[in-house]
Amino acid sequence: AIKLSVDNVVKATVDGTGLVFSGGQILTKDTSGDASVKVWAGGSSDPRLQFTVEGATDYVIGLDNDAGDALKFCRSSTVGTTTQMTIDSAGLVGIGGTPTSISASTAALHVIGTNAELKAETSSGTGWAFSHYKTPTASWTVGSDNDDKFRITNSTSFTTDSRFVIDASGLVGIGGTPTRPLHVFSAN
């Protein structure tokens, strides 16, 4: 190892692998010198892991001391600048910004943006893309099934308890799968 000292105090060390340890950080570069990864220690600054490719935008993952030590994924070299995703100390997740919850007892995924989108996409021709909502006394599923129908069901499955269905041709069913433009199913 090579050590750089000032007044008998080691300021930097280069080990046999090319890692540089200096001032509370670890720096490594690829053989071309164009890419690097830095690990910055905490102290009074934000502890972070920084990824750099020469001529490209830096990315950093770190704890933001100014935001209650939230874990932030940022498209910059500074934690808290151009934040792409945040996980706060309560476990709330914000994509594109800082998460907010409805109440103290609410877990949240908060997508923020001009055109915010949540996308569920199946990679199988026989699969479903859906969202499930469950409480101790109720279970609802919303999404699209493999027959190209949008469904809201009062169950954990798309095959039972369809309460609202729209098929690909625009037929609408309330209480079941439609066979006419507006099909209302009733037990009476």
Side-chain angles (χ1 to χ4, degrees), residues 43-83:
S44 61
S45 66
D46 298 322
R48 62 198 178 275
L49 180 61
Q50 180 179 339
F51 302 90
T52 303
V53 174
E54 192 66 34
T57 302
D58 288 355
Y59 281 87
V60 66
I61 302 168
L63 297 178
D64 189 346
N65 291 331
D66 295 332
D69 290 331
L71 178 62
K72 293 193 174 185
F73 299 76
C74 306
R75 190 171 182 195
S76 73
S77 59
T78 306
V79 175
T81 304
T82 317
T83 301

Side-chain angles (χ1 to χ4, degrees), residues 27-160:
L27 168 66
T28 182
K29 289 191 173 211
D30 69 2
T31 55
S32 69
D34 291 337
S36 69
V37 176
K38 296 178 185 175
V39 179
W40 300 77
S44 61
S45 66
D46 298 322
R48 62 198 178 275
L49 180 61
Q50 180 179 339
F51 302 90
T52 303
V53 174
E54 192 66 34
T57 302
D58 288 355
Y59 281 87
V60 66
I61 302 168
L63 297 178
D64 189 346
N65 291 331
D66 295 332
D69 290 331
L71 178 62
K72 293 193 174 185
F73 299 76
C74 306
R75 190 171 182 195
S76 73
S77 59
T78 306
V79 175
T81 304
T82 317
T83 301
Q84 304 295 306
M85 184 171 81
T86 301
I87 304 172
D88 72 10
S89 60
L92 302 178
V93 177
I95 298 175
T98 302
T100 57
S101 64
I102 307 304
S103 69
S105 63
T106 302
L109 169 62
H110 190 166
V111 179
I112 304 147
T114 302
N115 297 308
E117 175 185 14
L118 286 176
K119 185 175 187 177
E121 182 176 350
T122 180
S123 60
S124 167
T126 60
W128 303 342
F130 65 94
S131 181
H132 187 122
Y133 303 89
K134 185 162 178 52
T135 69
T137 59
S139 181
W140 289 86
T141 304
V142 178
S144 179
D145 66 14
N146 58 338
D147 291 330
D148 201 17
K149 292 180 182 70
F150 174 80
R151 295 180 182 268
I152 299 176
T153 66
N154 186 217
S155 119
T156 58
S157 170
F158 279 139
T159 58
T160 58

